[in-house]
């Protein structure tokens, strides 16, 4: 019996967790139309004669900065993405892909150089021979470089 192997399959549910609409806060995260978003504006309407108070959310996709809006009763649940931010040391750019190293010395080579202002800043700092860190945001099996920090000399 001990030599049996079990394959685990992810349900996909661990990417998000439910939270009551009224508990969401500005600068918090929420999933709107399947996109992980950061809440930039939030307003609650008064309870109507026959209904619930409604929460109006305006949020930006954390990867594309696209604006999304949603209206939901304050008592209903909405999904909130598990979002993590990790800083990596930049070590190389090879064929459009970044080579990054975490605090433990593990390398990560599966992120593309972004084709936005952050990507241009990374390329310039790399070409100039600067030592710097990049911040990688991860949510719902997606990840993207969202920031650049110059390393302090100790």
């Amino acid at each position: 019996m001990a030599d049996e192997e079990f394959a685990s399959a992810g349900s996909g549910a661990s990417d998000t967790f439910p939270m009551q609409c009224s508990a969401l806060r500005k600068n918090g995260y929420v999933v709107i139309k399947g996109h992980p978003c950061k809440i930039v504006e939030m307003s609650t309407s008064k309870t109507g004669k026959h209904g619930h108070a409604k929460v109006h959310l305006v949020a930006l996709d954390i990867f594309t900065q696209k604006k999304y809006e949603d209206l939901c009763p304050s008592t209903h649940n909405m999904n909130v993405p598990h979002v993590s931010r990790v800083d990596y040391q930049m070590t190389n750019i090879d064929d459009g892909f970044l080579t990054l190293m975490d605090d433990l010395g593990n390398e990560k080579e599966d992120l593309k150089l972004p084709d936005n202002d952050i990507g241009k800043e990374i390329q310039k700092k790399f070409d100039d021979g600067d030592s710097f860190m990049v911040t990688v945001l991860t949510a719902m099996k997606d990840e993207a470089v969202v920031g650049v920090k110059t390393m302090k000399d100790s």
Side-chain angles (χ1 to χ4, degrees):
M1 282 292 248
D3 60 346
E4 290 179 29
E5 281 187 37
F6 293 98
S8 64
S11 66
S14 63
D15 291 341
T16 62
F17 60 95
M19 186 184 274
Q20 194 164 334
C21 228
S22 58
L24 296 171
R25 295 289 172 256
K26 190 174 172 182
N27 293 328
Y29 298 103
V30 67
V31 178
I32 299 179
K33 296 183 179 80
H35 299 273
C37 299
K38 184 173 188 170
I39 301 167
V40 292
E41 225 176 279
M42 207 175 149
S43 59
T44 307
S45 65
K46 285 201 161 73
T47 307
K49 188 174 180 185
H50 300 290
H52 301 280
K54 297 237 185 334
V55 177
H56 178 243
L57 298 168
V58 179
L60 298 176
D61 186 305
I62 60 177
F63 298 120
T64 64
Q65 302 306 308
K66 189 172 177 215
K67 186 176 177 180
Y68 290 96
E69 294 190 45
D70 203 1
L71 192 67
C72 78
S74 61
T75 55
H76 285 208
N77 281 347
M78 286 193 77
N79 284 330
V80 175
H82 289 284
V83 178
S84 70
R85 295 175 79 93
V86 182
D87 288 337
Y88 292 94
Q89 184 175 345
M90 178 74 199
T91 58
N92 195 16
I93 298 176
D94 185 26
D95 205 20
F97 281 87
L98 306 177
T99 304
L100 307 171
M101 191 167 50
D102 67 10
D103 295 340
L104 303 172
N106 300 318
E107 284 200 339
K108 179 175 186 54
E109 301 175 318
D110 59 349
L111 273 177
K112 264 182 125 36
L113 179 69
D115 55 359
N116 56 18
D117 291 343
I118 291 171
K120 291 183 185 110
E121 186 181 349
I122 290 170
Q123 187 69 58
K124 183 180 179 335
K125 281 182 176 290
F126 181 72
D127 292 343
D128 292 346
D130 294 349
S131 288
F132 61 97
M133 306 280 282
V134 294
T135 303
V136 177
L137 201 65
T138 307
M140 298 172 65
K141 296 185 178 60
D142 260 341
E143 50 188 4
V145 177
V146 295
V148 181
K149 284 189 239 182
T150 304
M151 290 171 62
K152 311 268 187 296
D153 291 326
S154 46

